[in-house]
Amino acid sequence: MIELADSVCSRLGLHKSHREGKIVPASMDRGDRVRIHLFVPCFVDHFAPGVAWASARILQRLGHEVVVPESQTCCGQAGYNSGFHEESVEVATQWVRSFTQADAVVGSSGSCVAFVRNMYPQLFENTPYAEEARRLSERTWELSSFLVDVLGVDELGARYPVRATFHDGCHGLRQLGLGKQARRLLAKVEGLELVEMGRPDLCCGFGGSFSVKLPELSVSMADAKLEEVLATGAEVVIATEPTCLTQIVGRAHKRGLPLRAMHLAEVLDHTGQEAVR
Amino acid sequence: MSLSRLREQFRQALADPDLAAPYERATATARAKRAAAAAELPDYEEQRQKAADARREAIDHLDALVERFREAFTRDGGTVHHAADAEEARSLVKRILSERGARTVVKAKSMLSEEIALNEDLIASGWEVHETDLGEFIVQIAGQRPSHITAPALHLDRVDIGRIFHEKLGVDYTEDPVELATIARRLLRERFLQADAGISGANFLVARTGQIVLLENEANIRMCTTLPPLHIAVVGVEKVIAEVDDLGPLLSVIARSATGQKLGAYTSILGAAGPPERHVVLVDNGRRQLAQHPRKREILTCIRCGACLNACPVYERIGGHAYESAYSGPIGALLGPHHLGTDHGRELPFASSLCGACSEVCPVKIDIPELLRLERERYVETGGADVGERLAWWLWSKVMTRPRLYRLLARVGRGILQGPGIIAEGSSVLRDWTDGRKLPIPSSTSFIDQWKHQGGATTRTNPIWDRTRAQRALEATRKAKRSWAASRGRAGRGKDRKP
Amino acid sequence: MNPVERFVAEMQPLLQGGDGAHGAIHRCATAEEAGRDILALAEELSMKRLVVAARRELDAVAAILTEEGSKQGLRIDRDRMPATKGTGLDDTFRDAADYAAFDAGVGGADVLVAESATIGLVAGAHEARALSLLPPVHIVVAPVSRMVERIHDALARLIPSPPGEHDPGIENAGEGSPTITFITGPSRTADIEKILVLPAHGPSHLYVWLVDRL
Ligand code: SF4
């Protein structure tokens, strides 16, 4: 398996980049066809299947093959951040087992991908999964980073006339260096007017179990974030983090504000044919 | 304290509609200044790395460096005292003061003295103690506590301060900052000139030279360490650094991080020349215990610049007092479980969304979110989490490793959530979410089911072979933990270790 | 920008308070020029008493101030170096608190840091610490030759390794590890609503003369 992966990678011209500890290809021709394992974060699977569909369609339209490991459940981050280390390793094991054949994994949550990329090597240290976890951690990408950094694509032919603002999910931003890729992609969306917040990187207050352990605090943080969003006059808030979006619009709708949330993938998948959801 | 008590504490803070405004304003200013100051220095990142390395080196060789400092400081005619805990530190200070017949004390701002509640003790024992940093002075006469580690009166606006001055000092009401500062200056000038002793903390102790480094803007620290005939620095043992060379990078990042200045107005490096009597009280209070931990020792590299507080979206909402600890914000949440600054801070590591804004700005690159997470683990391991939560995560781990069962349960769960009764936001199980936010409505079928239904390509794993391997992985994890716990048991001592 | 220009440029904003200028920075060729400028300043601010640090390099400045100052009713006190070198820790010639009686303290600098417009002082009999602390105005007359780029350089110059080998430019710094004060602008506070107020407890004004030949 590892041999196969390495050969594929060398065909892709993958090399180790020290910048942000990422693996990025030195060059890749547009014609190269990649078999991509779609990482569907549990929240997306049950609450926002449209995000996964959009991600899959975008990759397919670029000529790549998309497969979905059906045994994937959750990356294990939730338990890890709550202090349940062993339980988290157990769940993460399921993820590694599900993706073990993959040469390229693409997921639609910066936070889940950051967990795989940055935490798995350490999580599986000295276990029988150490090698695979390390290998997978280097081959897993968040969608916007895969499109821009790996495939070198920023023009997807999307059209979506709306006034929007972009929220930087904390883990994607600070652990993966995300944000600029999404903005580049959004700049090419026809009709989309991107209005930046004063603090696009302010935490929305979700924080996994934090949101229910200290809910009043979490909601107060969401309000602070909403202030920023509202100040832009945007109708739609866009992010690469499904849970941030749930927190932000969950709060907005509770307050009766007409804000809409869209995952970046959904925006990029808008070719102008379908009706706006 | 329990998690529900922490929640209540925060709820109260959030219920005050005026609480957040001064924090929002002050932290916004501080963030902008820090960012500009870091951007202005071409080799900021290099200096930051050097500063981080110097602090890690120091903590790695803590005992040796402390001894070296003691030798050098003694050679220059000073006296070093060691205090194992807060109690001992307070009695040492009182003894030094009594032996010299010192009755009035001028004090420079020191977070350690807050941690060990030095002022309260001295005042209760009959000493006259005057805080001299303007912010500390305001907080002291108001009978309050500092709300920020570098800006103690951050929670008060000029109207509050004007009223406090009017009430406590009997001066005419004014809310002009210049007039207020002048009132404090006049009053404290007298006290500086009359005081029997000056007490300060320290930003750094240089091991080789025995010098005490103190940073400030107001000159009150210079007064406290120049005018009275006796100077006592009460300092946490972790403040030691090996060399004068380490100060270059540290000074290059600390003021930039704290206030956005290149350097504060005054950097005092106190050597042999100074007051006739000079003492350093080195306080452990759990620090050496913390230095034993291979990861958590990083907490001790903190240089108390306050940048993480200014960056923190939690601190900004609840303010400094809600932490009920001498140290607030992200660094306060890290110190809580180690009884530094509070005796009931076990739950403080949960007061974070782990967003990482803190470590992004930390001048010594402390990985605060990761360390908070480690403290959460420790909390769970030592029985902090209740039965319900432990059961929930246990079930989670079992269900998530059985994809078929998981998909089945998920389908049932989605069905329930879609049911009208619960989605009406009334369910008590979901109240913690739904009180403040709308519940997201689940899809009737999951993406993976839809994908399969539409004939999308899927992959599977070999369940039998993998389960054995997964079991072995888990055992390896447990073993690693056990061996770590055992080695810690040998090395560690004191209150942190539970039988 | 050369280091001296950098120093001057960095110093300007440090001298600005919310209520106007809190000092000034000048460059001049000789001690005489600096001395005359200080006399003019003393006149303008109606100063009555100045104290001049014992540093020998300030002899010329002190001489002008003493001679000319009496004409405008200005009294100059000169600190004196102790007879034996090495015994003089600071504050030995007058009580530290006595410096509060002066309208200004005239001192020097043992190092100047361009990057942050910082003045480095080694405490010793050549200059008492209280001279730059208690009077409301701090006047610095320093040779440009003491300029270094960064705080790192300043530390290396003032705290040599191994200890004991002091820069020959620093007079009578005493035995043991040096006591150093780095001064970067007048005393300040922002403890009230982060609003900048000058001064807090220390000098309200800082005047600096960078002299080509001192
Ligand atoms: S943790 Fe880092 S940012 Fe926070 S006070 Fe300490 S040094 Fe400053």
Side-chain angles (χ1 to χ4, degrees):
Chain A
M1 247 176 299
I2 287 156
E3 285 76 17
L4 172 71
D6 282 342
S7 74
V8 172
C9 276
S10 69
R11 184 168 57 77
L12 292 179
L14 285 176
H15 77 118
K16 246 193 168 101
S17 159
H18 292 290
R19 217 168 40 85
E20 290 162 1
K22 275 185 192 169
I23 298 260
V24 293
S27 67
M28 199 175 107
D29 295 330
R30 278 295 177 99
D32 277 339
R33 193 174 136 89
V34 189
R35 187 165 198 252
I36 295 160
H37 283 61
L38 198 66
F39 168 17
V40 185
C42 45
F43 181 84
V44 170
D45 196 12
H46 305 292
F47 287 88
V51 172
W53 276 115
S55 309
R57 276 196 295 264
I58 291 166
L59 294 167
Q60 283 171 335
R61 272 205 295 273
L62 290 167
H64 303 293
E65 183 192 349
V66 175
V67 294
V68 178
E70 56 178 287
S71 58
Q72 62 177 305
T73 57
C74 165
C75 65
Q77 178 174 208
Y80 189 71
N81 286 349
S82 301
F84 290 82
H85 184 104
E86 272 176 36
E87 290 79 354
S88 172
V89 173
E90 218 172 324
V91 174
T93 304
Q94 179 66 30
W95 193 94
V96 175
R97 290 161 63 199
S98 303
F99 285 91
T100 189
Q101 306 157 40
D103 303 318
V105 179
V106 175
S108 44
S109 151
S111 182
C112 300
V113 168
F115 189 63
V116 171
R117 285 193 73 106
N118 298 347
M119 289 301 169
Y120 270 26
Q122 152 186 347
L123 205 62
F124 287 102
E125 217 175 271
N126 301 321
T127 75
Y129 285 97
E131 181 58 22
E132 266 162 277
R134 192 198 50 74
R135 193 183 68 84
L136 280 170
S137 76
E138 291 170 351
R139 276 153 216 216
T140 301
W141 288 274
E142 183 278 332
L143 179 71
S144 68
S145 146
F146 187 74
L147 291 173
V148 175
D149 302 335
V150 180
L151 300 181
V153 175
D154 57 15
E155 171 71 75
L156 292 161
R159 194 185 161 279
Y160 192 54
V162 74
R163 188 181 168 90
T165 191
F166 184 77
H167 163 72
D168 288 286
C170 298
H171 294 167
L173 172 72
R174 299 196 180 91
Q175 294 177 29
L176 297 177
L178 298 184
K180 49 192 182 300
Q181 300 90 336
R183 286 179 174 83
R184 236 175 95 182
L185 290 159
L186 286 171
K188 296 285 170 73
V189 175
E190 197 191 322
L192 187 133
E193 184 197 356
L194 188 71
V195 191
E196 289 285 357
M197 288 177 252
R199 296 168 79 185
D201 58 349
L202 175 67
C203 178
C204 68
F206 175 70
S209 62
F210 170 79
S211 66
V212 285
K213 279 196 167 112
L214 297 168
E216 294 81 8
L217 174 55
S218 170
V219 165
S220 164
M221 289 161 77
D223 280 335
K225 184 84 226 190
L226 270 177
E227 294 271 309
E228 295 283 329
V229 173
L230 296 177
T232 65
E235 302 159 52
V236 173
V237 55
I238 301 169
T240 54
E241 208 60 75
T243 46
C244 296
L245 291 173
T246 305
Q247 162 89 347
I248 295 170
V249 291
R251 180 58 186 160
H253 292 173
K254 188 83 183 182
R255 287 171 51 183
L257 301 165
L259 188 69
R260 280 186 301 138
M262 281 180 90
H263 190 279
L264 176 73
E266 297 174 289
V267 177
L268 299 179
D269 186 37
H270 246 278
T271 46
Q273 272 87 20
E274 326 100 83
V276 174
R277 271 160 296 195
Chain B
M1 189 160 64
S2 64
L3 204 51
S4 56
R5 191 148 106 68
L6 188 73
R7 178 176 168 181
E8 185 48 40
Q9 211 168 291
F10 287 179
R11 205 202 322 249
Q12 276 169 23
L14 292 163
D16 177 353
D18 301 325
L19 182 124
Y23 289 102
E24 281 173 3
R25 188 178 52 222
T27 57
T29 312
R31 280 193 304 272
K33 286 191 171 166
R34 189 215 69 86
E40 172 272 340
L41 188 66
D43 65 345
Y44 180 78
E45 281 307 320
E46 191 187 325
Q47 296 299 320
R48 184 184 183 200
Q49 187 59 52
K50 284 186 175 161
D53 291 345
R55 288 297 296 140
R56 272 163 192 70
E57 274 288 308
I59 302 304
D60 284 348
H61 303 103
L62 193 57
D63 287 333
L65 291 178
V66 164
E67 179 50 23
R68 217 167 162 206
F69 174 81
R70 193 194 59 76
E71 278 168 23
F73 190 72
T74 312
R75 196 163 56 229
D76 280 349
T79 314
V80 173
H81 312 259
H82 293 273
D85 54 24
E87 169 67 50
E88 196 178 352
R90 292 191 300 259
S91 34
L92 273 168
V93 172
K94 287 189 286 188
R95 210 185 69 210
I96 300 166
L97 291 172
S98 313
E99 280 171 10
R100 276 79 195 166
R103 297 313 303 167
T104 60
V105 175
V106 280
K107 236 181 114 272
K109 195 179 108 54
S110 145
M111 288 316 296
L112 181 77
S113 84
E114 293 290 333
E115 173 188 324
I116 63 172
L118 182 60
N119 283 9
E120 287 90 329
D121 192 26
L122 286 178
I123 291 166
S125 313
W127 270 276
E128 207 182 294
V129 182
H130 304 292
E131 285 291 351
T132 59
D133 170 86
L134 179 59
E136 286 284 349
F137 172 75
I138 294 166
V139 168
Q140 187 189 30
I141 62 172
Q144 299 176 354
R145 313 220 51 150
S147 52
H148 188 286
I149 63 175
T150 59
L154 187 137
H155 59 292
L156 300 168
D157 63 21
R158 63 182 107 179
V159 177
D160 298 330
I161 297 168
R163 288 206 189 108
I164 291 166
F165 273 39
H166 174 62
E167 273 170 35
K168 307 285 178 177
L169 304 176
V171 295
D172 290 341
Y173 174 83
T174 170
E175 53 181 59
D176 175 15
V178 177
E179 282 180 39
L180 290 167
T182 308
I183 294 166
R185 175 186 167 97
R186 290 222 183 90
L187 190 89
L188 289 168
R189 183 56 78 97
E190 289 305 306
R191 292 178 180 165
F192 286 127
L193 293 171
Q194 287 155 8
D196 302 322
I199 296 181
S200 74
N203 291 91
F204 306 106
L205 302 174
V206 185
R208 175 172 67 79
T209 58
Q211 289 163 313
I212 304 170
V213 183
L214 286 155
L215 314 175
E216 59 167 332
N217 272 309
E218 296 189 2
N220 63 310
I221 299 183
R222 290 185 70 195
M223 299 275 182
C224 290
T225 58
T226 304
L227 298 174
L230 166 63
H231 172 219
I232 308 172
V234 189
V235 189
V237 281
E238 86 282 14
K239 296 283 179 163
V240 71
I241 54 171
E243 263 300 339
V244 175
D245 294 349
D246 298 335
L247 282 175
L250 285 164
L251 294 177
S252 299
V253 297
I254 190 168
R256 284 183 163 86
S257 302
T259 53
Q261 293 169 287
K262 287 167 187 136
L263 275 181
Y266 303 109
T267 302
S268 300
I269 303 180
L270 304 177
E277 270 222 55
R278 298 177 301 116
H279 296 259
V280 171
V281 177
L282 287 172
V283 184
D284 184 330
N285 209 26
R287 287 163 169 80
R288 282 195 175 86
Q289 164 80 21
L290 194 50
Q292 305 284 336
H293 195 289
R295 267 322 296 281
K296 294 184 189 174
R297 69 200 317 169
E298 197 176 317
I299 301 173
L300 294 173
T301 65
C302 170
I303 55 175
R304 305 280 189 269
C305 71
C308 58
L309 279 70
N310 300 331
C312 181
V314 168
Y315 175 83
E316 176 185 331
R317 308 300 331 147
I318 58 174
H321 293 137
Y323 289 80
E324 292 194 353
S325 163
Y327 307 99
S328 51
I331 186 65
L334 271 182
L335 293 171
H338 301 283
H339 310 279
L340 268 57
T342 173
D343 278 333
H344 43 73
R346 241 181 127 211
E347 282 76 17
L348 283 178
F350 289 94
S352 166
S353 61
L354 305 184
C355 77
C358 45
S359 48
E360 192 174 52
V361 297
C362 176
V364 288
K365 297 190 160 184
I366 301 178
D367 190 349
I368 299 171
E370 175 61 8
L371 291 165
L372 285 171
R373 206 197 53 68
L374 275 176
E375 296 298 351
R376 293 178 181 186
E377 255 176 41
R378 172 107 185 110
Y379 178 82
V380 170
E381 279 163 16
T382 54
D386 62 27
V387 183
E389 187 177 11
R390 288 208 303 273
L391 182 68
W393 288 112
W394 180 81
L395 275 173
W396 173 75
S397 71
K398 297 306 160 208
V399 172
M400 290 299 188
T401 44
R402 288 163 179 79
R404 276 167 215 270
L405 175 65
Y406 159 68
R407 304 226 145 259
L408 180 75
L409 290 176
R411 188 152 66 227
V412 176
R414 290 197 307 268
I416 294 173
L417 280 181
Q418 282 185 320
I422 289 181
I423 222 59
E425 316 265 311
S427 156
S428 68
V429 189
L430 300 169
R431 271 251 298 284
D432 286 338
W433 180 275
T434 55
D435 273 354
R437 293 152 290 202
K438 286 270 190 206
L439 205 60
I441 300 165
S443 166
S444 49
T445 35
S446 75
F447 167 76
I448 291 180
D449 291 343
Q450 293 173 16
W451 179 264
K452 278 163 70 182
H453 187 71
Q454 303 210 359
T458 60
T459 61
R460 290 186 183 198
T461 48
N462 175 341
I464 311 276
W465 169 77
D466 268 326
R467 193 159 295 287
T468 341
R469 207 150 152 246
Q471 200 51 46
R472 283 193 357 243
L474 199 61
E475 267 154 27
T477 309
R478 288 206 184 107
K479 214 175 106 198
K481 278 215 158 169
R482 272 199 305 272
S483 77
W484 155 236
S487 70
R488 184 175 158 75
R490 277 196 302 277
R493 62 201 142 75
K495 56 195 161 195
D496 199 60
R497 191 164 57 93
K498 298 275 174 338
Chain C
M1 215 188 289
N2 71 37
V4 178
E5 287 164 4
R6 175 90 197 266
F7 185 95
V8 173
E10 293 290 341
M11 179 69 88
Q12 304 289 3
L14 295 174
L15 301 173
Q16 284 306 315
D19 54 352
H22 280 253
I25 174 154
H26 307 278
R27 191 162 173 190
C28 60
T30 62
E32 284 71 43
E33 271 181 60
R36 285 181 208 292
D37 285 355
I38 294 170
L39 282 171
L41 179 73
E43 173 106 69
E44 186 193 324
L45 301 178
S46 335
M47 290 181 178
K48 296 274 171 289
R49 271 184 90 185
L50 299 189
V51 60
V52 181
R55 309 174 175 266
R56 291 198 182 88
E57 66 195 25
L58 292 181
D59 286 353
V61 174
I64 298 167
L65 290 177
T66 311
E67 261 166 51
E68 308 285 320
S70 55
K71 294 176 196 159
Q72 61 190 59
L74 186 64
R75 190 182 136 190
I76 306 295
D77 287 40
R78 183 80 200 274
D79 281 343
R80 296 261 168 258
M81 297 283 279
T84 14
K85 187 174 164 68
T87 55
L89 300 184
D90 65 342
D91 313 339
T92 48
F93 22 76
R94 63 177 93 238
D95 222 29
D98 292 347
Y99 286 91
F102 297 103
D103 297 320
V106 182
D110 297 301
V111 73
L112 299 160
V113 187
E115 176 186 63
S116 50
T118 297
I119 294 150
L121 300 171
V122 177
H126 64 299
E127 183 165 336
R129 284 190 297 159
L131 179 135
S132 58
L133 179 62
L134 290 175
V137 175
H138 179 202
I139 296 171
V140 177
V141 181
V144 286
S145 60
R146 301 253 163 87
M147 192 68 72
V148 298
E149 290 274 357
R150 305 189 77 164
I151 191 72
H152 308 59
D153 310 318
L155 288 162
R157 181 173 289 199
L158 300 185
I159 313 174
S161 169
E165 291 173 14
H166 288 292
D167 190 297
I170 304 162
E171 300 172 80
N172 208 356
E175 302 290 343
S177 297
T179 289
I180 294 159
T181 308
F182 286 115
I183 297 176
T184 309
S187 160
R188 61 194 58 227
T189 182
D191 274 348
I192 301 172
E193 289 187 16
K194 295 250 167 213
I195 299 163
L196 180 67
V197 175
L198 272 61
H201 297 291
S204 155
H205 287 63
L206 175 66
Y207 292 90
V208 180
W209 276 270
L210 298 178
V211 187
D212 291 338
R213 295 180 305 277
L214 193 67

